[in-house]
Every structure is written in C-alpha cells, then in structure tokens.
Amino acid sequence: MATPLENWVEESARLTKPDRIVFCDGSEAENQRIIAEMLHNGDSLTLNERTYPNCYLHRSSPNDVARTEHLTFICSPDKEDAGPTNNWMDPEGAKSKVGALLDGAMRGRTMYVVPYIMGPASSPISQVGVEITDSPYVVASMRIMSRMGKIAKDRLGSSSDFVPGLHSIGDLDPLRRYIVHFPQERLIWSVGSGYGGNALLGKKCFALRIASVMAREQGWMAEHMLILGLESPGGKVTYMAAAFPSSCGKTNLAMMVSALENLGYRVWTVGDDISWMKIGEDGYLHAINPEAGFFGVAPGTGVKTNPNVMGAITRNTLFTNVALTAEREPWWEGIDGAPPPHIINWKGEPWDSSKGPAAHPNARYTVPAKQSPSISPKWEAPEGVPISAFIFGGRRSRVAPLVYESFNWKHGVFVGATMASETTAATTGDVGVTRRDPMAMLPFCGYNMADYFRHWFEMGKRIPHPPKVFHVNWFRRGADGKFLWPGYGENVRVLKWILERIEGHGAAQETRIGYVPARNGLTLDGLHISPETLSNLLAVNPEDWQGELEDTKQFFAKFGDRLPQELLEEHRRLAQRLETAVSAKT
Ligand code: SAT
Ligand code: MN
C-alpha cells in the first residue's frame, strides 16, 4: 500500500507535471549534483575555492529579494480565525486560484521531494515536514537549514505525521506569487518566489505559521525567538529567548562575543530565529531550535559586529544577493574595510558607489549552525534548554528605554503584545516605518492574534516556573540622531543585569512602565558612556508613553471582543500610572 507521503507526492506530480522526480536523501553526493544543477541554471556561481571552500553565490530575480507579506495568506475556513492582522483567503478559493498557478508549473523541470526534521533528530519536540520544490537552490538551502533527507524519511516511516509544503518558483512574476497556508490541513503552498521565508517552507511557513496553530492546540509555544545561554563566572549557564522582528539583530545577539569575557560572562548560541517550547518535567519551559542553520542578513555583518559568524561563513556557505570581488570573494556594505576595486553588484553588474549598495540590503548567508564557534554544547539536547527569561525588543529611535523588566507575567504579555518596531528590508515595503509587531509575530502568527494573546495568558497559568519578561531597545537615538548605545558585544551588559534580576539581586528602580536598572545597576567597566547618555537611555518619558497608549488602544481595537480582557486591564493600569506621573509633574 502506498504511504501518505507517496500519495501526496503523486498528487503533487499530477498537478505540477514535472519531467522527473528526485527523492532527496541528503547525502554529500546528492548535494554535489544539486549544486551542479544550480551552477548550470546560471543564477549561481562558485566562490574562491581557496578562501571560501564549498561556498556559492546565488543571485535571485531582482523582483524577488524579500518576504512578501501582502502575498502571504492564512486560509482558515472562517475568516475570523485568521484575524485582522493576516491576509485571508477561503481554503477552496485559494486551492483553485493557487492551484491554477501550480498546474503544470514544473513542466520541463525536476521535482525534488525533500523530507526534513525541524529540531534535533532525537528530540520529542521536533517535527517532520516534507517540501516538494522545483528549485535546486531551495534544496541546497534546506540541507543547511534543517536535518534533511534519509534521517527525516526514517523518522517519518509510513506515518502521515508530517507537514506537507508544495513549492514552485513558477515564473517569478510577483503578480503570480502566493504563499498560502491551510492551518486546518497543516498544508503549505507557495508559488512564484524562490527567496528565503517565501520558499524555504520549513522556516516561517511551517516552524512559525503552521506550528503556532499546532502549539496552541497542543499546549506549547512556537515563537519568533533566538535562544542563547549566558555563562556566568563559575560556569553556570542561564538560557534566555528573545523576540525581535526580522533584521533587528537576533543573529548578532545570539552569536555575540561578550565585552565582559574578562569578568567570566560569555554567550552560547542555541538558535538565532525560532524557538519551540514545551513545559518540562522540572516546571520550566524547555526550548529547542527547530533549525540547523542560520539564514542571516549579510550587510552590516563584520568582524566588529559578529566575529563568530565571520569565522563560520568562510566554508560550506550559500550566499544570496551579496556582491562579488575580483578575487571571487563575497562582499557587502559593513564587511570590514573599504570596498576593493572591481566589485560586481548583487545583480551581476560592475559596481561603483553611484549605483546604490553593492549588496542588496536583504542579502543573506546560509550557514550550518554547528560551524559557529559560539554554538552551545546543548544546542541539540533532545530535552531542550530551560528558559529563564523572555526578552522582547525592536528598533525604536525614541520612547523605549535600553531595558526594562515587566512587573509580572500578565504585564509581560502586555509588553510583548504592544511591541513596535521600525520596519526593515526583510520584507518588501517601506523601511523605517514604526509598526506594531506583537511578540515579533505579526507576519508569522498562523491564526487570530487575539487568540494568540489568550494562549500566552493560558501558558502563564500552566508553567510552574515561567520566564521573567523583559524589553530591550538597542536603537534609541539622542537629540543629534546618533545611537545612544554601542550595541553588539556590549549588549552583554544588559544580559548580565537580566541575569541578576532572575537571580533576585540586580539593582533596579521602579518606573511607570516596569523596572529599569538602578543608577549603578549596569556593569559599565571599560565602556565610555556619560552619566547623561545613560540617563537618556533609561529615561521613561510619560508624554511619549501617552502616545504609545493611544496607538496601542487603536491596535487593540482591531480585535474587537475577541481581545483578552487582561490586555485591556493592563492598558488601564498603565494609563493610571502614567496619569499620576504626568499630574505629579504639573
Ligand atoms: O526571509 S525570511 O523570512 O526567512 C527572513 C526573515 O524575514 O526573518
Ligand atoms: Mn526571523
């Protein structure tokens, strides 16, 4: 009898009509064939074999360089279940509309069947997915980003317990591009894009949108969070998970070289983008990183900002839309040093600075996680790592202080639900516009976010030792428009304070919005920062927060009656605290 996987492959082949079908085993020999196919297609090339062994540059179509949120849909039978923050199509309508684009889409092409595990192969928290794709670049990327091939096929056996994802690059025309999710069937269809989160279906589509639905049903959490371990003097490691929107420094924070290494503080990387968490027998939330690689933003990455990744990406790495030097090495803005002569830009054209950036602002590297010198010895622990803190954050030029701690879990959920950030190049659209992005999940929650907030409150009741909840902002600017905080490796000073708060001895000062570090709360040895800058960094300006209150009120109103009352209560409490602050001043 045919297995559920075989049936689905046959059904997909009947629809997309490929010339041939290849079942991927994940072997090195197969990888070489896939790479040969990429090179043959003419959109990829081999990098300097001496300095960048087994590294390749892939150039995407210039109209296909980032996730396209406006073309991403949640197809639940009831529109209300997708909620006001998601695009919705009814499942049947989506099947016929997107089905028509997939019909015959693989004619003349090879269909690759890519079984993969999200999470360590032996972890009970891990899940199996299968992606069908006609893009060899996607196959090569999935091999880095997940445990792909035989290992996944073996775990699946003849079971129907996998998330199917059908992907075709179609004709790459944005007018015929759709990324659609069927949460009820746990099915993903994607057509018309070969880029990142649109095409590597294990990542945002499965590990966040579909998994968030599964997590709510089954009592766990699928979050857009990095996972790091902070080692303190004596060798104890405390794990924290942090949610920032795309391209706000999750990878750099997770892989940081600590500025306080001489004091015994060091950061270990468990994951840089996604966290799946279940309540462990010890009463803590245990997190695994479902991914096996990092799909990080290249521009701005250099020896100063992320030395660990710079050491990792010199081998077995796939670069996308970076520039190329005459030495056939990858290049981008923010990599160390002045641009060498004769650069070829991300579109493959000779470059000079009059032509805009040489690398696309959303250019990426795809690198196996295990190549990072900072990788945690626990990164593949089947039971995951116990999480002591959640850290929310975003890019805010104003308003949000460097760090603050919420009063309790309920307030912490409010802090996450009211998060906002200035938009980046990770998604198409305007850059630098402040938007509400609750828990950094706005583009990634597979169901109504009102229900998602409810799920957070429910989890809070069920976790015996819930993480403490913090908010950080590395991006606050002074009156001169310059960043107030140096960021990168110096961020460990904030992590150290968070650790001390977890342990119950960090010096803090209560403000209207939560606790901020007391005057001498942050360890600032070796950092030149004036007392005035520090007080600007930590300032809570009641007038600014009045504006936040108004904005979050409007945001919450979108959800109508479905919004948990707890959020409105927290909103009222904050309003009251701010009112006393404003009237005390006048
Ligand atoms: O393109 S991805 O969605 O994988 C990257 C990101 O937006 O975080
Ligand atoms: Mn992300």
Side-chain angles (χ1 to χ4, degrees):
M1 241 191 50
T3 63
L5 174 59
E6 286 161 354
N7 285 334
W8 175 63
V9 169
E10 204 194 295
E11 192 188 304
S12 304
R14 234 181 291 130
L15 176 63
T16 58
K17 307 178 180 64
D19 277 14
R20 63 200 87 76
I21 303 179
V22 171
F23 285 84
C24 294
D25 61 15
S27 65
E28 185 49 45
E30 174 187 271
N31 190 43
Q32 289 310 318
R33 288 195 295 274
I34 299 286
I35 285 165
E37 191 64 25
M38 282 168 61
L39 300 174
H40 173 81
N41 285 351
D43 54 10
S44 305
L45 42 96
T46 307
L47 293 173
N48 187 318
E49 278 159 43
R50 194 173 46 81
T51 51
Y52 284 84
N54 200 25
C55 291
Y56 302 89
L57 163 59
H58 173 80
R59 294 194 185 117
S60 75
S61 161
N63 67 29
D64 185 30
V65 293
R67 275 184 298 104
T68 42
E69 292 176 11
H70 60 295
L71 305 174
T72 302
F73 292 81
I74 299 298
C75 308
S76 45
D78 184 350
K79 182 169 193 225
E80 293 298 309
D81 289 334
T85 57
N86 279 313
N87 302 312
W88 177 82
M89 255 193 266
D90 83 274
E92 273 177 38
K95 285 263 167 83
S96 66
K97 188 171 194 157
V98 183
L101 298 173
L102 285 167
D103 193 347
M106 296 192 190
R107 226 172 244 133
R109 299 180 188 168
T110 301
M111 170 198 266
Y112 299 97
V113 181
V114 184
Y116 60 93
I117 305 174
M118 295 309 283
S122 61
S123 172
I125 310 177
S126 301
Q127 302 270 351
V128 175
V130 182
E131 175 161 358
I132 289 179
T133 180
D134 53 8
S135 159
Y137 164 76
V138 166
V139 179
S141 302
M142 287 298 285
R143 187 166 184 269
I144 299 175
M145 295 304 293
S146 68
R147 282 88 176 169
M148 183 273 251
K150 182 175 182 313
I151 194 168
K153 185 84 194 314
D154 288 350
R155 180 165 164 141
L156 179 63
S158 57
S159 154
S160 62
D161 196 8
F162 66 95
V163 170
L166 175 56
H167 169 252
S168 169
I169 54 176
D171 62 5
L172 292 175
D173 185 333
L175 294 173
R176 285 183 287 280
R177 179 176 301 161
Y178 288 96
I179 300 94
V180 293
H181 306 70
F182 304 90
Q184 221 182 21
E185 287 173 73
R186 294 185 185 155
L187 169 71
I188 305 154
W189 277 6
S190 166
V191 64
S193 167
Y195 199 86
N198 288 344
L200 312 178
L201 302 186
K203 196 173 178 57
K204 308 297 186 179
C205 299
F206 176 5
L208 289 174
R209 297 197 190 95
I210 297 291
S212 63
V213 173
M214 295 165 67
R216 173 166 166 256
E217 279 171 25
Q218 300 166 0
W220 51 283
M221 301 175 90
E223 298 297 332
H224 190 203
M225 290 179 173
L226 67 87
I227 309 162
L228 64 80
L230 178 62
E231 181 177 330
S232 46
K236 185 176 160 222
V237 181
T238 304
Y239 296 91
M240 309 177 180
F244 309 158
S246 300
S247 206
C248 288
K250 282 200 298 301
T251 307
N252 291 344
L253 183 65
M255 300 179 82
M256 170 215 297
V257 173
S258 155
L260 298 179
E261 216 154 291
N262 58 336
L263 298 183
Y265 293 87
R266 182 177 176 155
V267 171
W268 295 101
T269 314
V270 179
D272 80 325
D273 194 38
I274 300 176
S275 175
W276 282 358
M277 293 170 283
K278 282 193 179 162
I279 303 171
E281 275 163 22
D282 57 3
Y284 283 86
L285 209 48
H286 280 246
I288 62 159
N289 170 11
E291 301 189 282
F294 305 130
F295 181 66
V297 179
T301 306
V303 171
K304 284 200 201 78
T305 62
N306 193 336
N308 278 325
V309 95
M310 290 307 289
I313 60 182
T314 52
R315 59 198 191 282
N316 313 320
T317 301
L318 212 50
F319 294 90
T320 306
N321 293 344
V322 300
L324 183 69
T325 70
E327 305 293 321
R328 297 184 73 78
E329 293 183 345
W331 194 87
W332 51 77
E333 283 68 21
I335 202 171
D336 309 275
H342 311 302
I343 284 183
I344 305 291
N345 75 4
W346 65 278
K347 293 183 186 164
E349 306 156 346
W351 175 80
D352 65 68
S353 57
S354 70
K355 295 208 170 112
H360 186 275
N362 195 34
R364 301 273 174 157
Y365 52 78
T366 309
V367 60
K370 61 172 185 255
Q371 286 185 196
S372 175
S374 64
I375 198 75
S376 160
K378 291 266 193 172
W379 87 283
E380 295 193 287
E383 72 283 7
V385 294
I387 299 295
S388 298
F390 278 158
I391 306 171
F392 295 122
R395 284 177 192 267
R396 297 301 301 270
S397 308
R398 292 162 48 82
V399 187
L402 178 64
V403 57
Y404 66 101
E405 178 191 343
S406 63
F407 295 115
N408 51 47
W409 179 267
K410 270 194 192 162
H411 179 234
V413 177
F414 174 80
V415 169
T418 55
M419 241 174 83
S421 189
E422 289 146 22
T423 50
T424 67
T427 177
T428 52
D430 294 337
V431 169
V433 182
T434 303
R435 71 169 183 180
R436 296 282 138 202
D437 188 351
M439 284 84 171
M441 283 288 278
L442 184 79
F444 306 122
C445 186
Y447 59 101
N448 190 316
M449 275 203 124
D451 301 341
Y452 169 80
F453 299 141
R454 159 91 41 234
H455 179 52
W456 269 78
F457 287 118
E458 291 304 319
M459 288 302 292
K461 291 181 205 151
R462 291 188 38 222
I463 309 167
H465 303 294
K468 269 177 173 271
V469 182
F470 297 82
H471 186 284
V472 298
N473 176 24
W474 319 132
F475 301 93
R476 200 168 190 174
R477 291 175 195 259
D480 58 2
K482 294 210 176 103
F483 289 119
L484 292 168
W485 181 250
Y488 304 107
E490 306 296 346
N491 291 338
V492 73
R493 300 171 192 275
V494 173
L495 299 183
K496 177 173 180 284
W497 182 76
I498 290 175
L499 172 65
E500 288 160 0
R501 294 299 294 167
I502 295 165
E503 291 178 339
H505 56 89
Q509 186 193 333
E510 185 172 340
T511 75
R512 316 284 152 171
I513 62 164
Y515 300 102
V516 300
R519 258 174 64 94
N520 297 319
L522 287 174
T523 305
L524 297 172
D525 323 24
L527 186 67
H528 301 288
I529 190 162
S530 70
E532 194 200 337
T533 303
L534 191 65
S535 81
N536 286 339
L537 268 166
L538 295 175
V540 176
N541 178 350
E543 283 84 13
D544 282 348
W545 283 87
Q546 289 290 352
E548 283 294 291
L549 269 182
E550 195 42 50
D551 203 58
T552 46
K553 192 168 158 188
Q554 284 175 18
F555 180 70
F556 283 166
K558 289 188 186 178
F559 298 95
D561 291 346
R562 208 143 158 168
L563 191 82
Q565 280 303 315
E566 290 93 326
L567 285 177
L568 297 177
E569 278 160 28
E570 288 300 328
H571 191 273
R572 261 195 303 277
R573 270 194 209 116
L574 177 59
Q576 275 161 9
R577 288 194 300 266
L578 289 169
E579 199 142 304
T580 17
V582 175
S583 55
K585 258 181 96 177
T586 48

